[in-house]
Amino acid sequence: MSPHDVVLIPGDGIGPEVTDAGLRVLEAAGAPLRFQVHHAGVTAIEQGLDVLPDSTVEAIKHCGVGLKGPCTTPVGEGFTSVNVQLRQKLNLFAAVRPVRNLEGITTRFDDVNLVIIRENTEGLYSGVENQVTPDVVMSMKVATQTACDRISRFGFRFATLRQRNKITVFHKANIMKLTDGLFLRCAQQVHQSEYPNIAYEEMIIDAGCMKIVQDPSQFDVLLLENLYGDVVSDLCAGLVGGLGVVPGANIGEDLAVFEAVHGSAPDIAGQGVANPLALIMSSVMMLNHLADTRNDPACRAAGDRIKTSYNRALADGCHTRDLGGDLDTSGFVAALLERLD
Ligand code: NAI
């Protein structure tokens, strides 16, 4: 089988550092991939391009798969988030974020094994904001039956395929009766009519967050609208060692873009100390996606090799600074390469 073409977006801040680390590991593991580099974010602007160039979007449509570093979004002003735009333009409606303890990383809990399924295209991230008067502004939360049905079906199908037993929806339908109410009704309907064998529960999000930090082992698959999924992803990352160890995938009907949950980390950018593991784990998710959708066992084999190497490195105490260790980005990559079969 010929190599799979993948769009690589290095991104901003620590993005180029972690994607470069990821490429080194993928290459050493013999992953059958051929990368095309395209830009987005501040990096694209600096090169005289649009913040999200059409060529980047078209390249992902053509290749079907992308691996992306984080992109910076200005706070309180400036351009619309590239990450939100990309998910909307490519209809990458489901974010999948597995959160698990890793051997060698000691945290408050040792039994975290949950997956966040986040609706990626609407809610408060629809970008509908208005200045009503000079001192009154508003943001619209948008929920459509199409998107709520689609993410519910995705979540239950995912749980079934991965032999997971329970879906929990976090919501605030006591306050946002229409939007979160629709989300709940769609999840209930999909559960009752199509997946009655998967356990299903609902929690008001504030109480749900308290339960996560008290005992995360009670959660299996969390099904969340856009904003809740964003916030709860970082909260859950904190349970297993932080943003350096949580990967992610943005999945659509035919397209998929893989990226870590973390952002561009401007506080450590350019220092060569970022933890590349979340991006490397996202690459493994990408290889498994290619193995499944293109029936290529070489992708799964390369992904398994990478997974074994990072599990060995972590168990041997090879940790970057965010995990309390003293390795820099390239030191951690070297530790992985030494342990690659
Ligand atoms: P952030 O995730 O970039 O950083 C939060 C904290 O975690 C920082 O202290 C940072 O140093 C640390 N951190 C994050 N990733 C790390 C890694 N791999 N290794 C070691 N430490 C790591 O979140 P923040 O500061 O809220 O956002 C910074 C920028 O990133 C913003 O412009 C934001 O819009 C953007 N962003 C982009 C995302 C994406 O491209 N998907 C996702 C989240 C934020």
Side-chain angles (χ1 to χ4, degrees), residues 20-90:
D20 185 54
L23 292 191
R24 288 176 57 202
V25 175
L26 286 164
E27 193 184 339
L33 306 174
R34 192 165 50 202
F35 284 97
Q36 304 178 9
V37 177
H38 288 267
H39 291 290
V42 175
T43 312
I45 295 174
E46 284 167 359
Q47 299 195 1
L49 303 166
D50 290 340
V51 68
L52 179 56
D54 288 342
S55 53
T56 301
V57 175
E58 290 308 314
I60 297 172
K61 285 184 184 165
H62 181 71
C63 295
V65 178
L67 181 63
K68 175 180 165 299
C71 292
T72 298
T73 310
V75 176
E77 57 179 15
F79 58 81
T80 309
S81 162
V82 166
N83 311 305
V84 172
Q85 282 189 61
L86 193 67
R87 293 165 194 161
Q88 289 173 344
K89 283 193 172 173
L90 296 174

Side-chain angles (χ1 to χ4, degrees), residues 14 18 68-75 81-83 87 97 230 234 243-245 250 259-269 273-279 320-323:
I14 61 169
V18 295
K68 175 180 165 299
C71 292
T72 298
T73 310
V75 176
S81 162
V82 166
N83 311 305
R87 293 165 194 161
R97 297 165 163 191
D230 192 357
D234 281 33
L243 286 163
V245 301
N250 300 295
E259 64 178 336
V261 169
H262 65 72
S264 56
D267 52 337
I268 55 166
V273 297
N275 186 349
L277 184 54
L279 187 282
T320 43
R321 282 197 337 205
D322 54 310
L323 298 176

Side-chain angles (χ1 to χ4, degrees), residues 25-160:
V25 175
L26 286 164
E27 193 184 339
L33 306 174
R34 192 165 50 202
F35 284 97
Q36 304 178 9
V37 177
H38 288 267
H39 291 290
V42 175
T43 312
I45 295 174
E46 284 167 359
Q47 299 195 1
L49 303 166
D50 290 340
V51 68
L52 179 56
D54 288 342
S55 53
T56 301
V57 175
E58 290 308 314
I60 297 172
K61 285 184 184 165
H62 181 71
C63 295
V65 178
L67 181 63
K68 175 180 165 299
C71 292
T72 298
T73 310
V75 176
E77 57 179 15
F79 58 81
T80 309
S81 162
V82 166
N83 311 305
V84 172
Q85 282 189 61
L86 193 67
R87 293 165 194 161
Q88 289 173 344
K89 283 193 172 173
L90 296 174
N91 207 11
L92 302 170
F93 62 87
V96 178
R97 297 165 163 191
V99 183
R100 288 193 194 97
N101 287 115
L102 293 160
E103 199 190 332
I105 303 179
T106 309
T107 62
R108 194 179 301 259
F109 302 102
D110 56 11
D111 49 4
V112 184
N113 180 3
L114 57 87
V115 181
I116 291 166
I117 306 287
R118 164 185 175 188
E119 202 292 317
N120 241 354
T121 61
E122 57 180 30
L124 273 169
Y125 289 25
S126 301
V128 188
E129 286 197 313
N130 273 320
Q131 175 118 30
V132 184
T133 68
D135 24 346
V136 178
V137 289
M138 62 184 214
S139 273
M140 293 269 271
K141 174 158 170 162
V142 178
T144 63
Q145 176 140 5
T146 304
C148 295
D149 261 347
R150 186 174 59 184
I151 194 67
S152 298
R153 211 159 265 125
F154 182 95
F156 278 100
R157 184 161 183 270
F158 177 93
T160 307

Side-chain angles (χ1 to χ4, degrees), residues 294-315:
R294 305 201 185 159
N295 205 10
D296 184 355
C299 287
R300 180 133 15 239
D304 287 348
R305 277 202 294 283
I306 295 172
K307 196 171 168 190
T308 303
S309 79
Y310 70 65
N311 281 332
R312 285 177 181 155
L314 293 173

